[in-house]
């Protein structure tokens, strides 16, 4: 299966600061990557679809100015949580699709 | 709206038992149905997936049963072990570069 590397695995930041999460497709070129958010004991909710070389597509209710997505190369997509607040604390997971969907290890964001 | 309904929410079985997790979908255009296993603090890992042209697929101790007319599919874990204790998610989607829709998850506990 595809290898998806996500970094960092954990991050703690102060309220009002920005945090960048990286998602790398290590063994194939991913024109599309997906970003999900998962709250404790809940399912994965799609936030946005990241498209290489073009703007991301955001799901309804997801603030595009708060969750900035950049997909500048075929192997890297980044999610930046801007002006983070405690309610943004969550588990963020990226995924790629290469015949089947594979997920990164996830990033636990805690905003204090 | 929830397009994939998963049950039960939680499940406890004895070691060696066969837990069964069920999912139902609404969109008849879905043609890809994977199951994921997630341990706490980790990203979901693909277990097994099925497409609508077959009614059953086995990989090791994991079996998917698929009923296209009923729009249902289920995961069976044979000879379950304590190490299988995790949260299991069913999902549905389309072939190609499109995101998956997830069920709400089932927390499985296998007790010795």
């Amino acid at each position: 299966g595809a290898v998806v590397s996500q970094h960092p695995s954990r991050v703690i930041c102060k309220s009002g600061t920005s945090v960048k999460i990286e998602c790398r497709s290590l063994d194939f070129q991913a024109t599309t990557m997906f970003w999900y958010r998962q709250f404790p004991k809940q399912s994965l909710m799609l936030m946005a679809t990241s498209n290489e070389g073009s703007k991301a597509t955001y799901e309804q209710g997801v603030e595009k100015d708060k969750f900035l997505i950049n997909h500048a190369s075929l192997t890297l997509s980044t999610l930046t949580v801007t002006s983070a607040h405690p309610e943004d604390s969550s588990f963020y997971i990226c995924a790629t699709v290469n015949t089947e969907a594979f997920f990164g290890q996830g990033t636990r964001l805690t905003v204090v | 709206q929830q397009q994939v309904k998963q049950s039960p929410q939680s499940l406890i079985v004895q070691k060696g038992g066969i837990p069964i997790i069920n999912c139902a979908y609404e969109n008849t255009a879905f043609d890809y149905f994977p199951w994921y296993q997630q341990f706490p603090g980790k990203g979901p890992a693909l277990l097994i997936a099925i497409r609508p042209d077959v009614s059953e697929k086995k990989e090791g101790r994991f079996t998917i049963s698929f009923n296209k007319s009923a729009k249902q599919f289920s995961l069976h874990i044979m000879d379950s072990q304590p190490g299988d204790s995790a949260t299991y998610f069913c999902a549905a989607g389309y072939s190609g570069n499109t995101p998956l829709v997830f069920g709400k998850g089932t927390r499985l506990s296998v007790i010795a």
Side-chain angles (χ1 to χ4, degrees):
Chain A
V3 179
V4 182
S5 176
Q6 190 172 336
H7 178 82
S9 58
R10 288 177 178 269
V11 59
I12 301 173
C13 71
K14 291 185 177 181
S15 187
T17 62
S18 296
V19 173
K20 180 185 285 188
I21 302 169
E22 293 186 347
C23 180
R24 294 183 184 276
S25 175
L26 298 184
D27 58 352
F28 82 102
Q29 295 181 327
T31 57
T32 304
M33 294 187 184
F34 305 103
W35 287 96
Y36 289 83
R37 179 167 54 186
Q38 185 179 34
F39 291 106
K41 298 184 180 181
Q42 294 190 21
S43 189
L44 290 81
M45 298 300 296
L46 180 67
M47 297 177 65
T49 300
S50 170
N51 303 298
E52 188 269 334
S54 64
K55 291 182 178 180
T57 304
Y58 291 82
E59 295 300 299
Q60 189 174 11
V62 178
E63 301 174 57
K64 62 180 181 181
D65 294 329
K66 181 167 189 61
F67 299 100
L68 299 179
I69 291 174
N70 183 279
H71 194 153
S73 78
L74 289 171
T75 59
L76 175 64
S77 175
T78 60
L79 169 67
T80 301
V81 183
T82 63
S83 185
H85 289 92
E87 58 266 29
D88 298 324
S89 298
S90 188
F91 193 55
Y92 293 87
I93 318 171
C94 66
T96 64
V97 176
N98 180 17
T99 68
E100 296 186 306
F102 296 93
F103 287 81
Q105 308 95 313
T107 297
R108 171 72 61 196
L109 170 63
T110 303
V111 184
V112 297
Chain B
Q1 73 280 19
Q2 184 188 2
Q3 298 184 50
V4 180
K5 294 184 179 180
Q6 182 172 346
S7 62
Q9 190 173 16
S10 62
L11 187 56
I12 301 174
V13 298
Q14 295 272 357
K15 177 182 175 182
I18 305 175
I20 300 172
I21 305 171
N22 301 297
C23 281
Y25 62 98
E26 300 170 3
N27 188 341
T28 54
F30 286 148
D31 62 358
Y32 174 60
F33 304 91
W35 285 90
Y36 288 85
Q37 178 189 58
Q38 187 179 31
F39 293 105
K42 304 294 184 183
L46 178 65
L47 266 181
I48 185 173
I50 198 168
R51 299 187 189 273
D53 52 343
V54 296
S55 60
E56 185 176 276
K57 183 175 180 180
K58 291 183 180 180
E59 284 187 7
R61 295 185 293 111
F62 301 98
T63 299
I64 298 180
S65 296
F66 184 81
N67 186 327
K68 187 175 181 179
S69 60
K71 294 187 287 185
Q72 295 175 346
F73 58 110
S74 60
L75 176 70
H76 301 228
I77 305 176
M78 310 301 286
D79 187 28
S80 59
Q81 301 296 313
D84 296 329
S85 298
T87 300
Y88 292 81
F89 291 96
C90 64
Y94 309 94
S95 296
N97 247 346
T98 57
L100 296 171
V101 177
F102 283 85
K104 291 192 173 183
T106 297
R107 298 187 73 184
L108 172 66
S109 296
V110 181
I111 54 178

